């Protein structure tokens, strides 16, 4: 995702808004590292409680609206403007509407669709516009569109599987799964399908006669393409997987071309 934002879109200034839990902290740190690797900078970072439902304070901090009087010259100008509009000699600080100070081009939020559906409208309320919203696999849900509406249009996020993928491998799997089980598959079924197909393919080779030979074959395998895209096995037994890059287009989650 950072490769896309930094390389394809040329974005260099990022901000992070994340939940204070293991999931949020891990992804915030990983994202920050990748941004620096691509030559970008994290211009702002804010955290919130996992069960939180009001994000006004965090967003105001992120865009310089938490202490409006600290922006003295601007505050005076907009204070006078508000007095004229409200036809009052004295007004409250909350009546003075300063514009946000947005010094980032993209905002990364490692959370789930329900929360994004609350954050995105709050960003719009504070006039945080023309900022690319970036997310994790937790965004890949119909709830994202249902809750976020037009506020998440154009957002970009990733996942290990996408039911509407254009690849022939993914289409074949989805078609077979729905025909047999009468329901739509999730990432777990897609991963199990790929793992089974991979084992069947490797075990059919003549030189695989023992567990050890199977292990050696798998450890050196690369470029295997399945329903969950391309996979290669690393020396430390981890799997390097290509992810699906997704976006919201006209109210629908689609694969980003």
């Amino acid at each position: 995702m950072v490769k896309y934002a930094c390389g394809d879109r040329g974005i260099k200034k990022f901000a992070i808004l994340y939940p204070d839990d293991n999931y949020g902290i891990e992804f915030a740190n990983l994202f920050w590292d990748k941004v620096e690797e691509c030559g970008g900078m994290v211009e702002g970072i804010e955290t919130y409680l996992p069960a939180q439902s009001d994000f006004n304070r965090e967003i105001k901090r992120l865009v310089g609206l938490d202490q409006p009087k600290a922006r003295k010259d601007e505050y005076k100008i907009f204070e006078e403007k508000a007095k004229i509009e409200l036809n009052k000699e004295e007004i409250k600080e909350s009546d003075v509407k300063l514009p946000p100070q947005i010094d980032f081009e993209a905002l990364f939020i490692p959370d789930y669709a329900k929360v994004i559906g609350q954050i995105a409208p709050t960003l719009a309320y504070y006039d945080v516009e023309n900022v690319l919203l970036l997310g994790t696999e937790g965004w890949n849900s119909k709830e994202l569109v249902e809750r976020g509406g037009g506020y998440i249009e154009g957002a970009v996020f990733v996942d290990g599987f996408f039911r509407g993928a254009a690849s022939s491998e993914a289409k074949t799997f989805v078609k077979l799964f729905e025909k047999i089980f009468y329901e739509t598959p999730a990432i777990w079924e897609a991963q199990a399908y790929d793992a089974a197909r991979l084992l069947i393919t490797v075990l059919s080779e003549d030189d695989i006669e023992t567990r050890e030979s199977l292990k050696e074959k798998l450890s050196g395998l690369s470029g295997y393409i399945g329903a969950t895209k391309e996979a290669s096995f690393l020396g430390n037994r981890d799997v390097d997987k290509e992810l699906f890059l997704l976006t919201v287009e006209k109210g629908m989650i689609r694969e980003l071309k």
Side-chain angles (χ1 to χ4, degrees), residues 7-79:
D8 295 357
R9 295 284 291 264
I11 293 173
K12 296 299 180 183
K13 295 182 178 181
F14 297 83
I16 304 172
L17 179 62
Y18 70 98
D20 189 15
D21 56 20
N22 291 336
Y23 182 89
I25 293 170
E26 180 178 8
F27 275 106
N29 287 329
L30 286 170
F31 183 83
W32 197 328
D33 290 343
K34 290 297 179 182
V35 166
E36 291 185 342
E37 284 180 21
C38 81
M41 292 183 65
V42 174
E43 299 288 350
I45 184 166
E46 288 292 336
T47 185
Y48 55 86
L49 297 175
Q52 199 166 313
S53 59
D54 185 324
F55 302 93
N56 286 276
R57 182 176 58 183
E58 290 75 20
I59 291 173
K60 286 167 72 174
R61 284 178 181 170
L62 208 56
V63 295
L65 295 176
D66 56 322
Q67 295 180 348
K69 288 186 176 180
R71 297 162 61 179
K72 295 179 181 178
D73 294 337
E74 278 186 282
Y75 186 85
K76 288 180 180 179
I77 293 172
F78 283 89
E79 183 182 35

Side-chain angles (χ1 to χ4, degrees), residues 149-164:
Y151 299 113
I152 45 84
E153 189 75 13
V156 175
F157 46 99
V158 294
D159 205 345
F161 175 64
F162 180 54
R163 295 188 293 269

Side-chain angles (χ1 to χ4, degrees), residues 69 75 79 82 86 88 90-97:
K69 288 186 176 180
Y75 186 85
E79 183 182 35
L86 298 172
K88 292 181 179 180
E90 296 295 331
I91 60 174
K92 298 179 292 184
E93 182 181 299
S94 59
D95 292 327
V96 181
K97 305 298 182 183

Side-chain angles (χ1 to χ4, degrees), residues 213-222 232-235 237:
S213 60
L214 174 62
K215 175 184 172 183
E216 291 178 3
K217 184 71 174 182
L218 288 174
S219 64
L221 198 67
S222 64
S232 298
F233 290 83
L234 306 178
R237 298 185 181 181

Side-chain angles (χ1 to χ4, degrees), residues 104-127:
F104 51 90
E105 303 162 274
L107 175 61
F108 175 58
I109 312 172
D111 212 322
Y112 292 85
K114 179 181 178 180
V115 177
I116 307 308
Q118 295 169 309
I119 292 177
T122 308
L123 289 165
Y125 177 78
Y126 290 107
D127 296 324

Side-chain angles (χ1 to χ4, degrees), residues 186-250:
I187 186 172
W188 321 113
E189 289 90 357
Q191 289 175 335
Y193 173 79
D194 281 350
R197 283 187 64 235
L198 173 61
L199 280 173
I200 290 170
T201 301
V202 173
L203 287 170
S204 65
E205 297 182 10
D206 295 336
D207 58 339
I208 304 300
E209 298 178 346
T210 64
R211 294 180 180 180
E212 193 63 32
S213 60
L214 174 62
K215 175 184 172 183
E216 291 178 3
K217 184 71 174 182
L218 288 174
S219 64
L221 198 67
S222 64
Y224 173 76
I225 299 176
T228 57
K229 282 206 169 187
E230 187 173 327
S232 298
F233 290 83
L234 306 178
N236 60 0
R237 298 185 181 181
D238 281 343
V239 182
D240 183 25
K241 294 293 294 287
E242 183 182 2
L243 297 176
F244 288 88
L245 200 59
L246 307 175
T247 187
V248 178
E249 182 182 327
K250 297 180 180 178

